[in-house]
Amino acid sequence: MSLTGSTFLYTLVALSVVAVALPLVLWSRIRGPRVLRGAARVLMLMFAQGTAVALVFVVVNNADNLYDDWSDLLGTSDHVRQAADLGADGTGGLALSELPRVRQHFTQAGGGVRVTQLKGRVSGVDAEVYVWLPPQYDEPAYAHHRFPVVELLPGYPGSPKSWFGSLHAPAQLAPQMRGGRVAPFILVAPRTTLLPGVDTGCANVPGTVNADTWLSVDVPKMVMDNFRTQPAPRGWAVAGYSAGAHCAVKLAVAHPDRYRAAVSLSGYNDPRGERDSLAAQDPALRRATDPYLMLARATVPPPVALYLSGQPHDGYEAALALQREAKAPTAVHVVYVPKSAGGHTMALWRPQVVPAFRWLTTQMDQHRIAPGAATPRAPSTAGSRREALASGTASRAAAGRKR
């Protein structure tokens, strides 16, 4: 029975009702020696508590998309077939343009989202990838149009479906795309939990996992081979929240030839921001995958744009550090989110989706997507107030703090 399926949820609801009814009906009717009566009552109480805890867990898990299936929850899932040493650029010296085309079969996953099981030819990772196409994709006027792409990364633990479920990205962005305020991006959400009980940090670790190559080579090639996409890096961006935010910035800074921009919601720089991070376990790898240190030692600043949002002690300070270290052509836009907006949850990140994608639209020069396409309108004063949660800039916040 699926961990996230409706059948399992309804079964738990029914068991919870039974668990409450049993003591009410049988408590005084139990017969036999005192020890047996006591044991039976304790078992009924334990059954009631167990079903209640399980029900709460499933509801929270379904709301936040923490674990996709039983193997994720129990720490038994392993999606790594092999993990060869692929070198500094993560390609193993392969000419990616000469690799054969990747042909994938997709099935519907609901809500206009389709899913495929991808066998990563370069990374050695085998896992699912979810794809959502914008409203314009199948319209005759766009039959020959190539679309920009955003890879979406969840936190840890987390499911790639969280962007389509808990964050409601398609529901929020589709009207914006139809109105011309957000470019018609193709949304791609690959699995990032590749090893049992550990966050890969989106890093390549020879002999263990090639998560970087999975996300920045295998997944993009598959998408470009199966859909009408713009070429990299001009039409490609990556976005994430929490651990996925760290990965998004790290990937963009490391591979400006593959990504033009990155969005980080409540991210961190040091991989130790996630206690289960594989990248944090080795000092050299930890330094090599810290975006702040990557920018600090870059001989040529990467031509990427970064959108970084955070609260005090939850992404904001890390964002300011990157902003201070960045040198042109690297561009960093910091968004201050007040503590009153909520904690490190989906409720905090959900209202930031639209502002972040509006920023991507203009930053990636996607506001003219086709002849006659609408140009994004500047938000009205009222709209700006409504979006204050995710539109306050770092400079304004810093000035407020000085006062």
Side-chain angles (χ1 to χ4, degrees), residues 139-190:
E139 293 180 1
Y142 293 84
H144 303 289
H145 182 75
R146 294 192 171 273
F147 293 80
V149 182
V150 181
E151 272 190 79
L152 304 174
L153 309 180
Y156 177 84
S159 164
K161 293 186 293 186
S162 61
W163 281 89
F164 306 121
S166 304
L167 293 182
H168 308 311
Q172 292 195 71
L173 295 175
Q176 300 284 325
M177 293 176 180
R178 293 190 187 96
R181 294 179 291 275
V182 168
F185 290 102
I186 295 174
L187 305 183
V188 178

Side-chain angles (χ1 to χ4, degrees), residues 72 80 107 120 127 149 211 244-245 321 329 332 394:
D72 283 342
V80 179
T107 58
V149 182
V332 178

